[in-house]
Amino acid sequence: MASTSRLNSVRSSYDAVAADYAALLTGELEGKPLDRAMLAAFAECVRGDGPGAGRAVADLGCGPGRVTAHLDGLGVRAFGVDLSPAMVAVARRTYPGLRFEVGSMAALDIADGVLGGALAWYSTVHTPPSGLPALFAEFARVLAPGGYLLIAFKAGDRQLRLEHAYGHPVDLDVYWTPPELISELLAGAGLTETARLVREPDATEKSPQGFLLARRAG
């Protein structure tokens, strides 16, 4: 499981930047058609007629709730979970009709096999590759048989130390991960890749972005 010190650093860093982070990313998806296409495909999958269809979907590491709200707009019964109480407070103020909870995606307060889908939209980027197997096992645990996971991540193989972001001091490590490794580790957790997209960076990014859709056996 994730170390307590790392989780505390991530929590305090995102508590500090919550308001500015939310303001900066408002409307960000509007200029990213490929990102929206992956979210639309995910939404269609979890709304389908398979074993996990119609069940709730968790946005794990939801931040200020913008992607949770986007999924809701696509007809998905989505709720958000985030480690940062300040992020959850912003999400609740901004989207009062949706449910947001404070919690760690490394130890979810969700029963086994109840979710039709789980979204990890760049929320694993502060987890080193060595910590991903346990994280993916937790995602698989809460998915119903036939349920889907969509993960968005920074595609590559490097690490960056962040000490300042969004106008605030922070204490964060950021990891780029090869898509092949993500797929392999998901398979080890019982989640089979069904699609992937790697796109080139846009004007606001410095490296390729990866998206991988996987499914728990049903």
Side-chain angles (χ1 to χ4, degrees):
M1 284 296 185
S3 69
T4 300
S5 60
R6 180 168 60 80
L7 289 179
N8 287 341
S9 294
V10 171
R11 180 187 295 109
S12 60
S13 294
Y14 278 100
D15 278 346
V17 306
D20 291 319
Y21 179 96
L24 181 65
L25 294 182
T26 298
E28 182 213 22
L29 282 173
E30 295 173 7
K32 296 185 174 180
L34 295 176
D35 301 27
R36 295 198 313 273
M38 290 301 292
L39 287 166
F42 172 67
E44 185 170 346
C45 286
V46 299
R47 292 196 319 262
D49 56 4
R55 294 174 180 257
V57 170
D59 180 3
L60 304 175
C62 64
R66 63 194 179 87
V67 185
T68 320
H70 185 81
L71 288 176
D72 178 72
L74 294 174
V76 172
R77 276 203 305 134
F79 68 97
V81 178
D82 199 89
L83 186 65
S84 162
M87 283 288 192
V88 169
V90 170
R92 288 172 175 169
R93 288 196 304 269
T94 309
Y95 308 104
L98 298 179
R99 176 163 62 99
F100 297 96
E101 303 172 355
V102 176
S104 170
M105 62 184 180
L108 293 164
D109 187 17
I110 299 173
D112 295 357
V114 299
L115 297 180
L119 175 70
W121 196 255
Y122 293 102
S123 54
T124 64
V125 299
H126 302 303
T127 301
S130 62
L132 291 176
L135 204 59
F136 292 167
E138 182 68 352
F139 296 172
R141 179 187 67 79
V142 298
L143 282 174
Y148 287 87
L149 169 72
L150 175 61
I151 178 170
F153 56 97
K154 297 178 181 294
D157 188 9
R158 68 186 183 100
Q159 176 183 352
L160 175 69
R161 181 70 178 166
L162 275 183
E163 296 181 346
H164 195 272
Y166 309 106
H168 299 268
V170 297
D171 180 16
L172 295 169
D173 290 310
V174 183
Y175 298 88
W176 282 250
T177 312
E180 295 77 12
L181 179 59
I182 294 284
S183 182
E184 177 185 336
L185 296 179
L186 287 173
L191 299 167
T192 302
E193 177 182 347
T194 62
R196 79 169 73 174
L197 167 69
V198 178
R199 66 163 175 79
E200 292 302 307
D202 65 17
T204 67
E205 299 161 342
K206 298 180 180 179
S207 61
Q209 308 297 305
F211 307 85
L212 200 148
L213 181 67
R215 192 181 195 193
R216 181 180 169 186

